[in-house]
Amino acid sequence: MKIRCSSLQDTRRLAGILASYAHAGDIIALYGTLGAGKTAFTRFFIQSLTGEETEVPSPTFTLLQTYEAPEFEIFHYDLYRLEREEDVYDLGVEEAFYEAVNLIEWPEKMGKLLPIRKILKVEITCEGEERIFELSSENPSWEKRLNKMEKELLLK
C-alpha cells in the first residue's frame, strides 16, 4: 500500500491511524534516507498513543528511547550508529519484540537478526516536498490490519 503525504499533517494522520492498529509485539521497520521523515513519523506515532505533549527526541546517540502507552510499552530504536548487528541484543530486543511495540529506524543495521516475516515494513521516499510511505508485510496479522487501514485512509 502506498500513501502520499504532502504535509506534516498528512504524516501525523497516517501515523495516528497506524498507531491505532498497533499491538504489543509489533515490529515496525522504518526505511529511508537521512531526512526522509522516519523520526517525524515515529514522533507522531508515539504522540498519538501517549499524548501530544510527549517529547520524542531522536535516539541517535542513545540508540533507544522507551515510552509508556496505555496498553503497552513503546521502544523507539535508531540504529544508525550500531556498529555490529549483534549489539542490538544489548538493547533488549528479545523481550521487547514480544512485549512492546517496536519502531526501528535503520533496521537494515540488524541484518539477519531482523525477523522479516514478523515486521511491518515502512519505506519512506521523497518526491519534492512530498513523502511516499509504502507499507508492506509478510505477516498475516499485518496484512489484515493493512486492508482495514486502507479503507480507513480512503474514507478520510
Side-chain angles (χ1 to χ4, degrees):
M1 168 184 356
K2 283 188 181 182
I3 298 107
R4 187 174 291 271
C5 293
S6 57
S7 68
L8 277 177
Q9 277 308 107
D10 289 348
T11 301
R12 181 186 302 275
R13 183 174 156 267
L14 172 60
I17 290 171
L18 183 60
S20 73
Y21 285 90
H23 302 153
D26 282 345
I27 302 168
I28 301 169
L30 298 148
Y31 294 85
T33 59
L34 280 171
K38 297 180 297 294
T39 301
F41 177 86
T42 300
R43 180 175 296 117
F44 295 144
F45 182 103
I46 292 167
Q47 288 175 337
S48 74
L49 293 169
T50 62
E52 287 195 25
E53 71 283 349
T54 302
E55 186 178 336
V56 183
S58 175
T60 301
F61 295 102
T62 60
L63 302 179
L64 170 66
Q65 294 285 344
T66 60
Y67 304 88
E68 288 292 328
E71 296 180 30
F72 42 72
E73 202 168 5
I74 303 168
F75 280 55
H76 175 200
Y77 303 90
D78 183 334
L79 303 181
Y80 184 74
R81 294 181 340 102
L82 193 73
E83 293 184 20
R84 299 173 316 147
E85 58 189 48
E86 304 83 39
D87 292 344
V88 79
Y89 288 121
D90 294 337
L91 301 175
V93 295
E94 292 171 299
E95 283 183 39
F97 281 1
Y98 292 99
E99 299 172 359
V101 168
N102 301 268
L103 297 149
I104 306 172
E105 296 184 49
W106 304 101
E108 57 272 26
K109 295 285 215 157
M110 289 183 68
K112 64 185 178 305
L113 301 178
L114 183 68
I116 288 295
R117 288 194 167 81
K118 187 173 173 161
I119 69 167
L120 172 65
K121 185 176 187 179
V122 178
E123 290 186 77
I124 307 170
T125 54
C126 304
E127 284 185 12
E129 294 298 309
E130 291 188 320
R131 300 296 187 260
I132 293 99
F133 290 81
E134 186 169 352
L135 312 177
S136 62
S137 183
E138 296 178 24
N139 180 309
S141 173
W142 269 117
E143 288 176 356
K144 286 180 193 173
R145 288 184 269 172
L146 287 174
N147 285 334
K148 289 180 184 177
M149 195 182 315
E150 186 172 33
K151 291 174 186 165
E152 188 172 343
L153 287 165
L154 293 174
L155 291 175
K156 295 188 179 191

